[in-house]
């Protein structure tokens, strides 16, 4: 991928700083690490057939370096993709926070953002069912602010001490190291069944939120409650969240599974391609604000990270926008070496007593020592703040600075008491003087943390029928992978505390007893939780559309549609029998190299000869590829369009098509000519998924 996107101005202070460390070997003579010009094509031997000589410093250096190329992958969130961007403040938010990056309208702050799956190893597929990390780093004028968030609002456990148990249960099992990158196994559901507070987040993961269509169409959540503190020392509790301008979209499980085999890097490639093409993903970034006095009004504790604050109760307020506009130059140096830490916070931002957050403040520093092998990891280019760093921390492996002078302590007279301390009212960090109750040491949890099912119910109730069906199907798949009937039955018992109908439908699919009703569904719902109801983007930029071809295609229609889609910012592509030219069309994918699951929509142009080939059994299409392409697109609820003879392929595939004067039926668009398809197809592409087409269970 090219590194500098077209028409972009991604230049900023962080990029300038990074550019001091970037290097290129192009056109240069080879040297050893110590600068000697060398030829390391052949090792040094006694005679042309050896033996090799131990004195060969060139080979030893090269092999030594190679042997040490790997660092430990992250213990969680190992698989990820990182990109650069910026934050732009919508205004002066100093009434809310002293944070300088939010202090004036239009103020831009460089950012680095890393998306990740949680459970899989570095080489695992992108489209597994999992929570995804959405970690933000703001290189502010006053130091780094890392908001190490997720794409799912609640979390599985409320106390850091339970995190290792959660991860051990969910990661591959220790005896067989299977399954890779997913929770569809015995130990995960054994844990979830025994740990009721996880139920809320489990439902999020079982819904479309657990299999996003792309990283560009996910929400971000800070998960914990944080504090914002203004210059007057006043504080408000906040929940951070960020909403994609491109809307939300998820994959269906059938698509996600097939994509894992067809393009393991689906999400990574999608994100980097959009950035490379200049279609920069954007999010509105903001907060839900909660006053200290209001926390008593909630029927849960805002310090419990297994809960969210429903947007129906506290609306989202946008403070600015995130724009991602530059791919990395080097994956290892930037994406792999970035060391996020929830304790990287700036003046005006504070943490709370959330017991999960408290544990994270310890964990992230600790883990970096394991990964980076040195306490000097903050000196790596991607980790440096924009400001010069001055303190009395010294030495350690890989120290890269040469500190002058004899003073490395404070107070001191020899250096006039410098580096000097900065008071909070003069720009120093503000520790909010929160009152701590006259407390007693205890290993108990707050009574406010015990309602595990109300919000799980709220989430489930807020989904549409089609989305609920996805949860049921996902639960049947995931829990059904457990060989233990006991685990399956216990998990159904847990779901029964959320909703009897849900539990019975799952039970039916996994062969365990259908439970009797034990809990009332209070029928509460909230806005902002359903993906189907989420506001759509107003354009079709970045939508991928496969134009199916074969010899005999009506090239005029095919290319007119291509041009139309391209003019609207979509990414069309011709799929054909072979790569290269087909009567003036540039075929970039074949029926062997691609498949409908890799596209957002499909269009079939006219062409009698083409349709004949596509609908007859022959050596052209031994597996009826065009028919399967159309059928899969249809079953997955995607826009399907055809013009002229193209409509015959839909009929051949058994796809229900509009009749009479109607051109459109649930996103299936058919007309005599390509031009008559365009407008309806554009509308359907905005809609992206036609949920009404997805089948629902018969009542159980
Ligand atoms: Fe993490 N988490 N986490 N986590 N987490 C890590 O840090 C941990 C939690 C999240 O792109 C690790 O550098 C503990 C919640 C993201 O580099 C590690 C607990 C949330 C990333 C770690 C949590 C997250 C991590 C692994 C419970 C959502 C990837 C490597 C107290 C708000 C960051 C590393 C990146 C990474 C520990 C819970 C999100 C081991 C102990 C809650 C996005 O330090």
């Amino acid at each position: 991928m090219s590194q500098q996107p077209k028409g972009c101005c991604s230049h900023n202070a962080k990029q300038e700083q990074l550019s001091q460390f970037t290097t290129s070997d192009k056109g240069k003579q080879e040297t050893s690490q110590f600068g000697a010009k060398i030829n390391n094509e052949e090792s040094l031997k006694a005679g042309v057939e050896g033996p090799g000589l131990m004195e060969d410093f060139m080979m030893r250096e090269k092999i030594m370096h190679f042997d040490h190329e790997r660092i430990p992958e992250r213990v969680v969130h190992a698989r990820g993709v990182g990109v650069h961007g910026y934050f732009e403040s919508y205004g002066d938010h100093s009434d809310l926070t002293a944070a300088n990056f939010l202090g004036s309208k239009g103020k831009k702050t460089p950012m680095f953002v890393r998306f990740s799956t949680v459970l899989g190893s570095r080489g695992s597929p992108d489209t597994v069912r999992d929570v995804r990390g959405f970690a933000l780093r703001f290189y502010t004028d006053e130091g780094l602010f890392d908001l190490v968030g997720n794409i799912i609002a609640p979390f599985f456990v409320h106390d850091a001490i339970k995190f290792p148990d959660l991860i051990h249960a969910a990661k591959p099992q220790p005896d067989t190291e299977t399954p890779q990158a997913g929770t569809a196994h015995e130990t995960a559901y054994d844990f979830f069944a025994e740990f009721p507070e996880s139920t809320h987040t489990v439902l999020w993961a079982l819904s479309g939120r657990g299999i996003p269509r792309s990283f560009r169409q996910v929400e971000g959540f800070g998960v914990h409650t944080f504090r914002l503190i203004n210059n007057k020392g006043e504080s408000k509790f906040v929940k951070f969240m960020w909403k994609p301008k491109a809307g939300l979209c998820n994959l269906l499980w059938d698509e996600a599974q097939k994509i894992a085999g067809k393009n393991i890097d689906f999400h990574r490639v999608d994100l980097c391609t959009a950035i490379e093409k200049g279609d920069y993903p954007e999010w509105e970034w903001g907060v839900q604000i909660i006053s200290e006095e209001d926390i008593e009004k909630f029927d849960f504790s805002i310090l419990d990270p297994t809960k969210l604050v429903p947007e129906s109760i506290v609306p989202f307020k946008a403070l600015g926008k995130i724009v991602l506009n530059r791919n990395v130059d080097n994956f290892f140096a930037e994406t792999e070496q970035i060391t996020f830490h929830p304790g990287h916070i700036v003046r005006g931002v504070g943490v709370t007593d959330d017991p999960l957050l408290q544990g994270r403040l310890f964990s992230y520093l600790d883990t970096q020592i394991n990964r980076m092998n040195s306490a000097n990891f903050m000196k790596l280019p991607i980790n440096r703040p924009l400001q010069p760093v001055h303190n009395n921390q010294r030495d350690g492996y890989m120290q890269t600075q040469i500190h002058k002078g004899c003073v490395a302590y404070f107070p001191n007279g020899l250096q006039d008491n410098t580096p000097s301390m900065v008071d909070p009212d003069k720009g120093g960090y503000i520790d909010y003087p929160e009152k701590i109750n006259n407390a007693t040491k205890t290993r108990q949890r707050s009574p406010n943390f015990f309602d595990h099912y109300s919000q799980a119910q709220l989430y489930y109730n807020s989904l549409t029928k089609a989305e609920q069906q996805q949860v049921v199907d996902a639960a049947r798949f995931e829990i059904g992978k457990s060989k233990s009937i006991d685990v399956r039955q216990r998990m159904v018992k847990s779901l029964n505390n959320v909703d009897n109908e849900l539990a019975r439908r799952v039970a039916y699919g996994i062969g365990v007893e259908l439970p009797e009703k034990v809990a009332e569904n209070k029928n509460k719902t909230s806005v902002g939780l359903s993906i189907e109801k989420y506001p759509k983007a107003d354009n079709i930029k970045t939508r991928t559309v496969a134009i199916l071809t074969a010899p005999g295609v009506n090239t005029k229609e095919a290319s007119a549609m291509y041009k139309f889609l391209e003019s609207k910012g979509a990414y069309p592509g011709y799929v054909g029998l072979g790569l290269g030219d087909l009567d003036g069309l540039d075929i970039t994918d074949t029926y062997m190299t691609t498949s409908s699951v890799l596209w957002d929509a499909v269009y079939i142009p006219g062409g009698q000869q083409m349709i004949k080939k596509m609908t007859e059994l022959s050596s052209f299409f031994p597996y009826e590829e065009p028919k399967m392409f159309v059928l899969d697109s249809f079953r997955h609820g995607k826009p399907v369009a055809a013009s002229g003879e193209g409509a015959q392929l839909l009929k051949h595939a058994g796809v229900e098509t509009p009749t009479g004067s109607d051109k459109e039926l649930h996103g299936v668009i058919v007309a005599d000519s390509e031009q008559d398809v365009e407008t309806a197809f554009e509308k359907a592409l905005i809609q992206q998924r036609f949920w009404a087409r997805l089948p629902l269970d018969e009542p159980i």
Side-chain angles (χ1 to χ4, degrees), residues 250-411:
N250 64 280
L251 296 169
L252 302 181
W253 184 225
D254 187 51
E255 289 176 278
Q257 290 177 88
K258 288 176 177 164
I259 294 170
K262 292 183 186 287
N263 182 359
I264 189 173
D265 304 307
F266 187 67
H267 286 153
R268 181 179 294 194
V269 169
D270 171 276
L271 178 69
C272 297
T273 305
I275 292 177
E276 187 179 298
K277 285 179 182 266
D279 291 319
Y280 305 137
E282 291 191 15
W283 284 260
E284 297 233 274
W285 182 90
V287 282
Q288 290 171 290
I289 304 170
I290 305 152
S291 305
E292 198 107 24
E293 314 78 76
D294 285 345
I295 55 175
E296 301 305 325
K297 292 185 192 155
F298 298 108
D299 53 8
F300 58 89
S301 167
I302 60 160
L303 298 181
D304 176 355
T306 69
K307 312 285 193 313
L308 50 84
V309 175
E311 282 183 70
S312 290
I313 304 178
V314 182
F316 167 75
K317 178 179 159 73
L319 301 181
K321 66 171 181 177
I322 296 169
V323 180
L324 302 183
N325 64 358
R326 190 167 75 85
N327 289 320
V328 297
D329 287 313
N330 183 282
F331 187 90
F332 181 83
E334 298 169 77
T335 308
E336 203 53 21
Q337 293 204 121
I338 192 160
T339 55
F340 286 100
H341 172 32
H344 291 154
I345 42 178
V346 288
R347 186 169 187 274
V349 181
V351 296
T352 60
D353 296 339
D354 171 337
L356 194 68
L357 178 56
Q358 291 286 319
R360 293 180 76 199
L361 292 169
F362 163 74
S363 174
Y364 288 67
L365 274 186
D366 187 45
T367 207
Q368 309 309 353
I369 305 294
N370 182 45
R371 288 210 308 125
M372 301 297 153
N373 213 5
S374 157
N376 285 314
F377 58 83
M378 289 305 290
K379 308 238 158 94
L380 293 167
I382 193 70
N383 291 326
R384 290 177 181 227
L386 298 176
Q387 303 67 24
V389 170
H390 297 290
N391 56 44
N392 292 317
Q393 296 170 29
R394 290 289 184 275
D395 309 343
Y397 287 110
M398 297 296 150
Q399 175 59 266
T400 55
Q401 275 163 317
I402 302 171
H403 294 98
K404 293 212 280 191
C406 62
V407 173
Y409 53 88
F410 185 90

Side-chain angles (χ1 to χ4, degrees), residues 74-77 114 116 133-135 148-150 155 160 163 221-224 338 340 356 359-360 363-364 367-368 371:
R74 290 165 174 86
V75 59
V76 282
H77 297 266
R114 183 173 178 271
S116 50
F134 194 165
V148 197
N150 274 346
F155 199 69
F163 188 69
F221 302 94
V223 175
H224 315 281
I338 192 160
F340 286 100
L356 194 68
R360 293 180 76 199
S363 174
Y364 288 67
T367 207
Q368 309 309 353
R371 288 210 308 125

Side-chain angles (χ1 to χ4, degrees), residues 618-646:
S618 72
S619 57
F620 275 115
F621 296 114
Y623 301 106
E624 302 187 88
E625 288 86 346
K627 172 177 157 183
M628 297 319 292
F629 207 113
V630 167
L631 195 56
D632 264 0
S633 299
F634 177 75
R635 283 193 292 223
H636 295 146
K638 294 173 178 177
V640 176
S643 55
E645 295 87 0

Side-chain angles (χ1 to χ4, degrees), residues 325-590:
N325 64 358
R326 190 167 75 85
N327 289 320
V328 297
D329 287 313
N330 183 282
F331 187 90
F332 181 83
E334 298 169 77
T335 308
E336 203 53 21
Q337 293 204 121
I338 192 160
T339 55
F340 286 100
H341 172 32
H344 291 154
I345 42 178
V346 288
R347 186 169 187 274
V349 181
V351 296
T352 60
D353 296 339
D354 171 337
L356 194 68
L357 178 56
Q358 291 286 319
R360 293 180 76 199
L361 292 169
F362 163 74
S363 174
Y364 288 67
L365 274 186
D366 187 45
T367 207
Q368 309 309 353
I369 305 294
N370 182 45
R371 288 210 308 125
M372 301 297 153
N373 213 5
S374 157
N376 285 314
F377 58 83
M378 289 305 290
K379 308 238 158 94
L380 293 167
I382 193 70
N383 291 326
R384 290 177 181 227
L386 298 176
Q387 303 67 24
V389 170
H390 297 290
N391 56 44
N392 292 317
Q393 296 170 29
R394 290 289 184 275
D395 309 343
Y397 287 110
M398 297 296 150
Q399 175 59 266
T400 55
Q401 275 163 317
I402 302 171
H403 294 98
K404 293 212 280 191
C406 62
V407 173
Y409 53 88
F410 185 90
N412 62 64
L414 293 177
Q415 213 172 253
D416 300 330
N417 270 333
T418 58
S420 53
M421 309 287 154
V422 185
D423 290 335
D425 57 348
K426 305 222 165 51
Y429 183 79
I430 309 168
D431 281 301
Y432 182 69
E434 184 176 329
K435 285 210 181 68
I436 308 241
N437 296 334
N438 188 11
T440 316
K441 270 193 204 171
T442 174
R443 283 194 191 275
Q444 286 176 314
R445 75 176 71 171
S446 154
N448 289 337
F449 281 35
F450 275 98
D451 173 7
H452 307 312
Y453 297 113
S454 295
Q455 286 216 347
Q457 209 175 68
L458 178 91
Y459 183 67
Y460 186 68
N461 291 344
S462 305
L463 303 180
T464 63
K465 290 275 170 253
E467 289 175 314
Q468 290 183 343
Q469 181 70 50
Q470 286 181 60
V471 171
V472 170
D473 292 346
R476 286 172 175 169
F477 176 90
E478 293 253 317
I479 309 168
K481 286 282 180 181
S482 170
K483 289 192 191 72
S484 158
I485 296 177
D486 174 56
V487 167
R488 284 186 252 154
Q489 190 72 65
R490 279 190 284 125
M491 197 56 216
V492 164
K493 194 172 161 209
S494 173
L495 293 176
N496 199 33
N497 292 314
V498 180
D499 183 76
N500 181 244
E501 169 77 8
L502 162 68
R504 289 171 78 83
R505 285 165 74 186
V506 174
Y508 179 81
I510 61 172
V512 297
E513 220 173 284
L514 272 54
E516 292 304 320
K517 191 169 181 171
V518 293
E520 267 320 304
N521 188 329
K522 294 176 209 129
N523 292 324
K524 284 195 182 157
T525 57
S526 173
V527 294
L529 298 176
S530 158
I531 292 180
E532 186 179 349
K533 293 189 201 151
Y534 204 82
K536 307 274 172 279
D538 59 1
N539 60 67
I540 62 167
K541 280 187 182 167
T542 76
R543 295 282 194 277
T544 55
V545 183
I547 301 178
L548 301 194
T549 75
V553 60
N554 181 334
T555 54
K556 228 168 112 192
E557 280 201 338
S559 59
M561 178 57 86
Y562 190 103
K563 281 190 197 117
F564 168 73
L565 293 169
E566 207 180 29
S567 72
K568 298 282 176 178
Y571 300 168
Y574 295 117
V575 178
L577 277 165
L579 292 174
D581 181 64
L582 174 69
D583 299 333
L585 306 180
D586 182 15
I587 310 293
T588 46
D589 282 287
T590 72

Side-chain angles (χ1 to χ4, degrees), residues 143-294:
L144 302 184
F145 171 36
D146 288 353
L147 186 51
V148 197
N150 274 346
I151 69 161
I152 282 181
F155 199 69
F156 297 93
V157 302
H158 84 280
D159 189 328
I161 205 164
K162 292 307 295 171
F163 188 69
D165 295 291
L166 164 75
I167 299 303
H168 285 175
K171 276 254 193 188
Q173 296 183 192
D175 47 355
T176 56
E177 229 211 357
T178 59
Q180 176 59 245
T183 44
H185 60 119
E186 209 113 342
T187 54
Y189 281 90
D190 185 27
F191 178 81
F192 295 146
E194 290 302 304
F195 206 65
E197 71 187 48
S198 63
T199 315
H200 183 201
T201 310
V202 168
L203 286 184
W204 277 69
L206 289 177
S207 74
R209 303 271 179 164
I211 38 172
R213 154 67 182 86
S214 77
F215 288 135
R216 298 175 296 110
Q217 291 190 293
V218 292
E219 276 183 311
F221 302 94
V223 175
H224 315 281
T225 298
F226 288 82
R227 276 187 183 280
L228 288 180
I229 307 138
N230 67 16
N231 276 317
K232 293 185 211 147
E234 298 159 341
S235 168
K236 293 265 195 287
F237 288 115
V238 291
K239 286 277 190 186
F240 291 114
M241 57 199 289
W242 44 113
K243 291 172 175 281
K245 290 201 179 165
L248 288 183
C249 187
N250 64 280
L251 296 169
L252 302 181
W253 184 225
D254 187 51
E255 289 176 278
Q257 290 177 88
K258 288 176 177 164
I259 294 170
K262 292 183 186 287
N263 182 359
I264 189 173
D265 304 307
F266 187 67
H267 286 153
R268 181 179 294 194
V269 169
D270 171 276
L271 178 69
C272 297
T273 305
I275 292 177
E276 187 179 298
K277 285 179 182 266
D279 291 319
Y280 305 137
E282 291 191 15
W283 284 260
E284 297 233 274
W285 182 90
V287 282
Q288 290 171 290
I289 304 170
I290 305 152
S291 305
E292 198 107 24
E293 314 78 76
D294 285 345

